[in-house]
């Protein structure tokens, strides 16, 4: 008897122990983030958590910190599957640390249009690059007993009306473009696929026939199909179609209604059995099925599962200790949108319901045992990669943990509105290079009074610019995790333009101007449900100062406002009026205003205030410490009746209706209503913000504060003066929360506020200006030709400033290549539509998105897909292909390149195909394969690129099958979709 047969027999034995109601009960989550347990089977709850930039866990609590990776668009820019796998391993380690079994990543939707609001969460515009990158992340996550989730299946490529939009797309385009990355994920063994909110060709995705074919039958996907949170809106059709798990719980459109549907024959009993089998297989892969609990305090390790699937990486054995859970751990959180309607298939999404308590008795929560502390740092024993996050903290000096007490103001660069004596936010930890000592700097900040030059104490050390790690090398300890993140920042940074300015030589710098608000308040991640609370953030200014040490005078000028929305209250600006600690006081009040709950929190963004019986009002109070005088902007985010009082005087009150049911807006980014208030520097005021709780409006409450905006002309003059007086200037610009976020598409590609004017002024003042672009997706760069260099860092995650400094000063080469074509102006882009008409969004461009559309329309973008410069130059000297191949067979392309520059480097060699002439519509060219090579200065090397058979095939809508057209195919090789100097021809012969 084979292992597979034994596994199947064991599943059938377990399945036979369940009644129909017990089976159906397993098909809806127990809470927002957990599946149901079934003690009779030895099945514990499985915990799911958002991804892909980090693993948040089960709650939105700013005290629960996570490692923050670069955005998915940055990972798409790596063109490096080995590094992506290692980052996937890091996500798995974070998941294990937080007791998470299933990470909701990767996102495999495409950059169909540059206006997509969730660009940052998707890899690229190309199905081949997206598929290879996504498969690598899946392998990295799942190598450690944690399940990955391919989402959002399928054609969920924009945010406008995403809950109800019906995407109309041809069968061929679906197969060749939008389904292709998901097929690659299934081939990589992905264990979970998430069905999106949207519909495709008339069927909502949770009830789509695409869940059965091609996903389960043709591709052989044997994992679990889970709904996006609240996406299940049709009971019987979804049960018949192939959805396996409805999230969140404890309610859904299934439950007793599905039991009756099976009993009356509307849904086959076999369909329910298949869903339960899949859940059992997933639970076994995650170590959630069978086996005795581990001893208390045991550190989890990978081990064999009970039911190994064919070809699967063995999952961990028992790894979690049980512990009683508090009510705050069990409450549903953001994204709780239970769909209880059993209406027809295209019913609109239901309104998000009021979050409820979990069903009592659903079992104890699984928590991860950290085990004893161990030393870290040089000389410490290595730990397996899976345990790299078990150590509580690095051994090097750190900033205080939120709420641990105030710190000296001399330790930090003051931020806007900073009041002396107030604690700085823990999310601005510096990360200097080894040996960085005290430094002398002058901070030019129009928002706050300028002072004399300040001397900072020595900063904590972090690893120097690491060598590019190999896929096999484990990450040892938390310092290894930080080094990996730092490596990823440099490896994903795309050098768009360089007139010999980069890299900067620190030995030739006396004064360096660092300009822009993003230099001290960068965007490290996009907005929406995938957000995490990073354990620290290395800002560009932090990283630059740390890298240069005390030998270079670093001057910062914020420049004019970038029109960023006022940020939530942070410990920099306020204290708890009860304890005096940096942060805020969170209270829950009953209808009469009596206190039901009170606790200290570190910030004004409270997305999950505790659920307390009888709670009627959420109150956030703080003693605000204004650092400058003038008209501040206070705000409160949420829905329903809300108010703000300053020193017991009401300044804002009203009823604010909920205008959308989108869970990302309701539960994560509620709109903020603002009011100007005149404040005096050094005079604290007590701010009390309240929102009443009402069904269907969530409970997220956000309190914001922003100092007066500087005079634009004066701030621009300060920035220009700083640039003119410096040996070189670095301007950091980027998008704001107004733009790139889940729940919204963008309306333009412009940088906000006065950022374009700032770049123009600084580049005119100093030709040695590097412009650093901090965005998750394309933006217009109308000044790009005037800059000395333009460097794209995406949303770089928590180690962004350290990795940026490595690139700026030549410790690391910018390794990224564009995963998306960048337009010079939005009007030039061939595909821009994101909004449906009459509920329908037609993908009328067909196969031609991204660089394919630019080539088809014979337009020249600002930067082509695949573009990216390094710190050396390359010549493409030869291309070798077979004379002929047989359809259905792969072939190999060899490209001879030479490093013609002065230093070692890495080059991403890209190979594209163009089809034979004839009536069959094909893209002008399409990416067929790529590889990276490294060479010393002057060295020649050969890039060997394997072209898979799938690269030549097309989908026949008449035959509903893959076909390969015989004839001559052009093979084009080069460094981007717009720079392909080498061409050859391969003849494809029909197979017998």
């Amino acid at each position: 008897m084979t292992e597979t047969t034994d596994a199947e027999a064991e599943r059938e034995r377990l399945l036979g122990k369940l009644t129909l109601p017990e089976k159906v009960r397993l098909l809806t989550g127990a809470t927002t983030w957990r599946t149901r347990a079934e003690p009779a089977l030895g099945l514990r709850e499985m915990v799911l958590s958002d991804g892909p930039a980090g693993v948040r866990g089960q709650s939105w609590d700013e005290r629960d910190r996570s490692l923050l990776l670069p955005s998915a668009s940055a990972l798409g820019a790596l063109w490096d599957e080995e590094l992506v796998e290692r980052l996937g391993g890091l996500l798995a380690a974070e998941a294990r640390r937080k007791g998470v079994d299933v990470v909701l990543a990767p996102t495999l939707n495409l950059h169909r249009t540059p206006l997509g609001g969730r660009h940052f969460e998707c890899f690229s515009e190309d199905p081949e690059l997206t598929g290879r990158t996504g498969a690598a992340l899946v392998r990295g996550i799942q190598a450690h007993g944690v399940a990955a989730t391919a989402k959002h299946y399928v054609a969920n490529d924009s945010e406008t009306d995403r809950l109800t939009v019906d995407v109309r797309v041809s069968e061929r385009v679906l197969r060749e473009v939008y389904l292709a990355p998901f097929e690659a994920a299934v081939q990589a063994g992905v264990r979970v696929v998430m069905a999106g909110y949207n519909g495709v060709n008339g069927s909502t995705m949770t009830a789509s026939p695409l869940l059965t074919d091609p996903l389960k039958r043709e591709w052989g996907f044997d994992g679990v199909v889970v709904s996006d949170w609240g996406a299940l809106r049709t009971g019987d059709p979804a049960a018949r179609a192939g959805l396996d798990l409805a999230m969140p719980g404890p309610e859904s459109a299934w439950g007793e209604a599905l039991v009756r549907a099976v009993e009356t024959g509307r849904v086959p009993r076999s369909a329910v059995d298949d869903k339960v089998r899949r859940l059992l297989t997933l639970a076994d892969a995650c170590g959630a099925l069978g086996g005795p609990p581990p001893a208390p305090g045991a550190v989890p390790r990978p081990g064999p599962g009970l039911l190994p699937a064919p070809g699967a990486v063995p999952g961990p054995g028992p790894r979690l200790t049980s512990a009683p859970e508090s009510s705050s751990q069990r409450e549903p959180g953001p994204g709780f949108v239970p769909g209880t309607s059993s209406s027809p298939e295209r019913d609109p999404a239901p309104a998000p319901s009021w979050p409820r308590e979990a069903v009592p008795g659903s079992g104890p929560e699984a928590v991860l045992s950290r085990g004893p502390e161990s030393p870290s740092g040089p000389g410490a024993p290595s730990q397996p990669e899976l345990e790299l996050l078990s150590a509580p903290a690095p051994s090097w000096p750190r900033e205080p943990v939120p709420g641990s007490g105030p710190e000296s103001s001399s330790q930090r660069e003051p931020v806007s509105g900073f009041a002396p004596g107030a604690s700085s936010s823990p999310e601005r930890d510096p990360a200097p290079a080894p040996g960085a000592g005290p430094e002398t700097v002058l901070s030019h900040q129009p928002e706050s009074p300028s002072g004399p030059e300040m001397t900072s104490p020595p900063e904590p050390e972090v690893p120097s610019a690491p060598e590019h790690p190999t896929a096999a090398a484990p990450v040892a300890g938390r310092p290894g995790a930080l080094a990996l993140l730092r490596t990823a920042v440099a490896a994903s940074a795309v050098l768009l333009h360089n007139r010999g300015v980069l890299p900067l030589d620190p030995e030739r710098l006396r004064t360096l101007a660092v300009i822009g608000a993003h230099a001290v308040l960068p965007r490290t991640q996009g907005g929406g449900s995938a957000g995490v609370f990073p354990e620290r953030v290395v800002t560009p200014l932090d990283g630059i100062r740390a890298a240069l040490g005390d030998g270079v005078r670093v001057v910062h000028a914020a420049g004019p406002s970038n029109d960023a929305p006022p940020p939530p209250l942070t410990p920099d600006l306020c204290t708890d009026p009860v304890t005096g600690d940096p942060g805020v006081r969170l209270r829950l009040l009953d209808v009469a205003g009596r206190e039901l709950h009170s606790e200290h929190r570190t910030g004004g963004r409270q997305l999950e205030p505790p659920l307390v019986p009888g709670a009627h009002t959420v109150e956030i109070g703080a003693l605000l410490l204004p650092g400058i005088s003038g008209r501040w902007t206070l705000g409160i985010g949420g829905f329903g009746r809300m108010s703000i009082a300053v020193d017991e005087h009401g300044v804002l009150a009203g009823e604010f209706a909920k205008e959308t049911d989108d869970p990302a807006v309701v539960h994560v980014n509620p709109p903020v209503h603002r009011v100007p208030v005149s404040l005096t520097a050094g005079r604290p005021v007590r701010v009390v913000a309240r929102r009443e709780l009402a069904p269907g409006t969530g409970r997220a409450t956000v309190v914001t504060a922003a100092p007066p905006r500087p005079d634009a002309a004066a701030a621009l003059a300060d920035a220009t003066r700083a640039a003119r007086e410096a040996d070189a200037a670095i301007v950091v610009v980027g998008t704001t929360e107004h733009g790139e976020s889940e729940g919204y598409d963008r309306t333009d590609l412009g940088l906000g506020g006065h950022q374009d004017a700032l770049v123009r002024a600084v580049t005119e003042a100093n030709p040695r200006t590097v412009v650093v672009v901090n965005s998750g997706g394309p933006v217009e760069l109308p000044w790009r030709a005037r800059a000395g260099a333009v460097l794209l860092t995406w949303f770089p995650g928590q180690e962004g400033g350290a990795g940026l400094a490595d690139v700026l000063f030549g410790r690391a080469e910018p390794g990224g290549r564009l995963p998306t074509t960048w337009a010079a102006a939005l009007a030039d882009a061939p595909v821009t539509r994101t909004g449906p008409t009459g509920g329908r969004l037609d993908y009328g461009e067909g196969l031609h998105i991204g660089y394919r559309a630019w080539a088809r329309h014979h337009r020249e973008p600002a930067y082509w897909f695949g573009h990216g410069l390094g710190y050396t130059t390359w010549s493409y000297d030869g291309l070798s292909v077979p004379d002929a191949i047989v359809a259905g067979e792969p072939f190999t392309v060899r490209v001879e390149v030479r490093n013609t520059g002065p230093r070692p480097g890495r080059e991403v060699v890209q190979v594209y195909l163009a089809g034979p002439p004839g009536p069959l519509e094909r893209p002008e060219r399409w990416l067929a394969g790529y590889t990276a090579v490294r060479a010393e200065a002057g060295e020649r090397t050969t890039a060997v690129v394997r072209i898979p058979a799938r690269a030549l095939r097309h989908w026949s809508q008449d035959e509903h099958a893959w076909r390969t057209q015989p004839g001559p195919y052009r093979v084009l090789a080069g460094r981007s979709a717009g720079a392909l100097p080498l061409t050859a021809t391969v003849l494809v012969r029909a197979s017998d």
Side-chain angles (χ1 to χ4, degrees):
M1 182 177 288
T2 67
E3 185 180 55
T4 301
T5 303
D6 288 342
E8 290 173 350
E10 179 63 14
R11 278 194 292 270
E12 293 308 309
R13 185 187 71 80
L14 296 176
L15 188 65
K17 297 175 69 173
L18 300 176
T19 65
L20 176 62
E22 288 171 336
K23 294 174 183 176
V24 169
R25 179 177 176 271
L26 293 176
L27 305 183
T28 294
T31 68
T32 301
W33 299 112
R34 279 176 286 169
T35 64
R36 293 183 186 272
E38 182 48 70
L41 305 184
L43 174 66
R44 65 163 173 83
E45 296 171 321
M46 287 181 283
V47 178
L48 296 84
S49 176
D50 271 319
V55 180
R56 188 177 59 252
Q58 296 184 71
S59 65
W60 283 89
D61 189 326
E62 76 280 7
R63 298 166 296 187
D64 184 9
R65 301 282 170 152
S66 304
L67 287 180
L68 177 59
L69 280 66
S71 62
S73 54
L75 269 57
L78 291 172
W79 297 63
D80 185 338
E81 289 152 73
E82 291 184 352
L83 184 51
V84 172
E85 281 195 45
R86 287 182 56 77
L87 292 167
L90 193 59
L91 286 174
E94 275 284 82
R96 296 291 300 277
R97 180 175 72 91
K98 288 174 173 274
V100 169
D101 301 289
V102 180
V103 175
L104 303 180
T107 301
L108 298 180
N109 305 116
L110 299 180
H111 297 171
R112 173 178 165 267
T113 158
L115 293 175
R118 218 166 174 178
H119 246 320
F120 60 88
E121 199 176 317
C122 308
F123 295 121
S124 86
E125 69 186 18
D126 181 77
E128 177 72 9
L129 179 60
T130 296
R132 287 178 59 169
T133 306
L137 196 70
V138 167
R139 291 192 299 269
I141 293 171
Q142 295 192 167
H144 305 291
V146 177
T149 305
K151 65 181 186 182
H152 309 83
Y153 190 82
V154 62
N156 189 177
D157 307 297
S158 53
E159 297 296 288
T160 304
D161 294 342
R162 65 176 178 150
L163 302 185
T164 56
V165 64
D166 180 18
V167 173
R168 296 303 175 111
V169 55
S170 75
E171 179 184 345
R172 182 184 175 198
V173 172
L174 264 177
R175 288 285 190 150
E176 294 187 27
V177 180
Y178 298 100
L179 285 170
F182 289 93
E183 184 177 8
V186 172
Q187 291 172 348
V190 73
R191 292 177 178 139
V192 181
V193 170
M194 180 189 288
Y197 291 115
N198 61 299
V200 172
N201 296 333
S203 295
T204 189
M205 278 311 305
T206 53
S208 172
L210 295 170
L211 298 180
T212 301
D213 266 324
L215 180 60
K216 291 184 174 180
R217 288 181 185 165
E218 180 185 328
W219 297 348
F221 174 64
D222 60 359
V224 170
V225 176
V226 63
S227 70
D228 204 340
W229 267 229
L232 174 59
R233 305 188 285 272
T234 61
D236 293 3
R240 292 190 296 265
L243 186 73
D244 300 313
L245 176 62
M247 291 296 288
E251 296 179 354
S252 78
W254 283 348
E256 289 300 322
L258 181 53
V259 173
R260 291 192 298 272
V262 173
E263 291 174 340
T264 59
R266 300 196 311 274
V267 173
R269 187 178 296 265
S270 60
V272 171
D273 287 349
D274 180 68
K275 300 176 196 305
V276 176
R277 288 188 193 99
R278 291 170 179 273
L279 283 168
L280 293 176
T281 302
L282 173 64
D284 178 65
C286 296
L289 182 63
V299 176
R301 293 181 180 274
L306 176 66
L307 305 173
V313 176
R319 63 183 181 83
L320 301 174
T321 58
S322 297
E325 69 183 3
S326 66
S327 60
S328 65
Q329 289 174 310
R330 300 188 57 82
E331 63 209 26
F336 181 74
V337 197
T340 56
S341 169
S342 56
S343 50
E345 194 166 71
R346 289 302 300 156
D347 276 359
S353 301
W354 170 242
R356 300 181 46 176
E357 296 285 358
V359 176
S362 58
E365 180 186 20
V367 296
L368 182 64
S369 171
R370 284 180 174 272
E373 292 188 15
S374 59
S376 60
S382 297
Q383 304 174 26
E385 180 170 358
L386 203 57
E387 298 175 16
L388 68 97
L389 299 174
S390 296
S395 60
W396 60 77
R398 289 180 54 90
E399 300 289 346
V401 174
S404 62
E407 66 183 5
S408 168
S409 61
S410 66
Q411 289 178 299
R412 299 253 185 139
E413 172 75 14
V415 298
S416 301
F418 177 81
S423 171
S424 296
S425 166
E427 295 191 6
R428 294 197 58 254
D429 282 355
E439 56 196 23
T440 302
V441 297
L442 179 63
S443 173
H444 289 268
Q445 300 222 28
E447 299 93 339
S448 58
S450 297
E453 296 186 2
M454 300 171 58
T455 301
S456 300
E459 305 280 14
E461 292 187 358
V462 300
S464 60
E467 294 294 325
H468 193 319
T470 64
V475 178
R478 187 178 288 272
L482 301 185
L484 178 60
L485 294 179
R486 181 170 176 172
T487 294
V489 174
S492 63
V494 180
L495 184 56
L496 297 174
H497 167 81
N498 189 16
R499 293 209 307 256
V501 173
L502 285 179
L504 295 170
D505 183 356
E507 298 298 323
R508 301 178 64 182
L509 294 175
R510 292 170 300 171
T511 301
L512 179 67
V514 181
I515 295 168
H518 280 78
V520 292
L521 291 173
R523 287 201 72 186
T524 57
Q525 59 185 320
S529 61
V532 301
F533 297 99
E535 63 165 19
R536 72 175 196 175
V537 167
V538 183
T539 71
L541 185 60
D542 290 335
I544 290 167
R545 284 181 169 165
L548 294 177
D550 59 0
V552 179
R553 181 171 174 263
V554 177
V555 176
H556 176 246
S561 168
N562 59 10
D563 279 352
L569 289 174
T570 66
D572 298 83
L573 294 177
C574 61
T575 60
D576 182 333
V578 174
T579 66
D581 293 329
V584 304
R585 174 61 42 172
L586 173 65
R587 299 202 305 157
L588 278 297
L589 311 175
D590 67 12
V591 68
R594 292 185 292 264
E595 181 180 289
L596 301 175
H597 175 86
S598 177
E599 65 175 309
H600 171 78
R601 299 298 288 265
T602 61
R605 186 172 183 240
Q606 298 299 321
L607 303 184
E608 290 182 334
L611 284 174
V612 179
H616 176 267
T617 301
V618 177
E619 177 189 282
I620 297 176
L623 197 64
L624 181 64
L625 311 171
I628 56 177
S629 299
R631 289 175 69 81
W632 283 62
T633 301
L634 305 184
I636 182 168
F639 300 96
R641 183 171 296 279
M642 299 191 296
S643 65
I644 300 176
V646 177
D647 285 342
E648 300 185 354
H649 296 287
V651 295
L652 182 150
E655 185 85 24
F656 302 98
K658 180 166 68 80
E659 298 179 351
T660 179
D661 292 332
D662 193 304
V665 179
V666 175
H667 300 291
V668 182
N669 288 322
V672 174
H673 304 276
R674 305 167 192 164
V675 60
V677 177
S678 294
L679 301 178
T680 302
R683 179 172 173 245
V685 295
R686 179 158 184 174
V687 176
V688 176
R690 291 179 174 176
R691 72 156 289 186
E692 295 183 3
L693 300 174
T697 63
R699 66 185 193 272
T701 307
V702 182
V703 180
T704 66
R709 289 184 174 179
D711 176 79
L716 190 63
D718 284 348
T720 304
R721 185 182 314 111
R724 185 179 300 113
E725 295 174 355
D727 299 304
I730 298 169
V731 187
V732 188
V733 295
T735 56
T736 71
E737 293 290 344
H738 287 309
E740 297 176 276
S741 176
E742 181 182 359
Y744 307 95
D745 286 315
R746 302 161 71 188
T747 57
D748 61 60
L749 300 181
L751 293 169
H754 303 273
Q755 293 185 92
D756 286 334
L758 175 65
V759 174
R760 288 190 179 99
V762 171
T763 54
E764 184 174 347
N766 192 328
R768 290 176 53 78
T769 294
V770 179
V771 183
V772 176
V773 181
N774 176 202
S775 71
V779 294
E780 294 174 351
L781 309 174
W783 32 260
R784 63 190 183 280
R786 303 170 62 172
V790 181
L791 181 68
L792 171 60
T793 59
W794 311 100
F795 294 154
Q798 68 176 60
E799 301 301 308
L804 170 64
D806 291 339
V807 171
L808 291 174
F809 304 117
R811 295 176 179 175
E813 185 180 41
R817 302 296 185 266
L818 283 180
T820 295
T821 304
W822 279 42
L826 176 61
D828 299 336
V831 181
T832 58
R833 186 180 171 200
T834 60
T837 300
R840 292 174 43 163
L841 179 59
D842 291 314
Y843 281 18
E845 68 281 353
L847 302 169
H848 312 286
I849 64 170
Y851 67 90
R852 300 176 175 194
W854 287 89
R856 179 179 177 83
H857 291 277
H858 304 289
R859 298 181 186 177
E860 189 72 19
Y863 303 108
W864 283 96
F865 171 84
H867 172 73
L869 307 176
Y871 285 156
T872 189
T873 55
W874 298 83
S875 65
Y876 280 70
D877 299 336
L879 174 62
S880 173
V881 303
D883 292 332
I885 62 170
V886 176
E889 295 181 353
F891 66 99
T892 299
V893 173
R894 288 176 169 80
V895 184
E896 295 180 12
V897 296
R898 183 167 62 93
N899 181 346
T900 57
R903 57 181 281 170
R906 171 181 179 266
E907 175 76 342
V908 178
V909 178
Q910 303 162 41
V911 175
Y912 297 76
L913 295 178
L920 179 65
E921 182 183 353
R922 301 294 288 261
E924 293 288 317
R925 53 186 175 271
W926 63 92
L927 181 68
Y930 60 89
T931 194
V933 295
R934 297 176 183 274
E936 298 295 321
E939 183 182 3
R940 293 181 182 274
T941 188
T942 299
V944 180
V945 183
R946 180 180 179 275
I947 307 300
R950 68 174 181 271
L952 293 98
R953 67 185 185 176
H954 68 275
W955 183 260
S956 170
Q957 293 192 171
D958 294 335
E959 301 175 78
H960 306 291
W962 290 106
R963 295 289 180 260
T964 299
Q965 180 185 14
Y969 284 73
R970 284 190 303 141
V971 181
L972 305 98
R975 57 191 343 267
S976 77
L980 300 167
L982 302 180
T983 304
T985 299
V986 59
L987 179 64
V988 177
R989 295 194 176 103
S991 59
D992 295 334

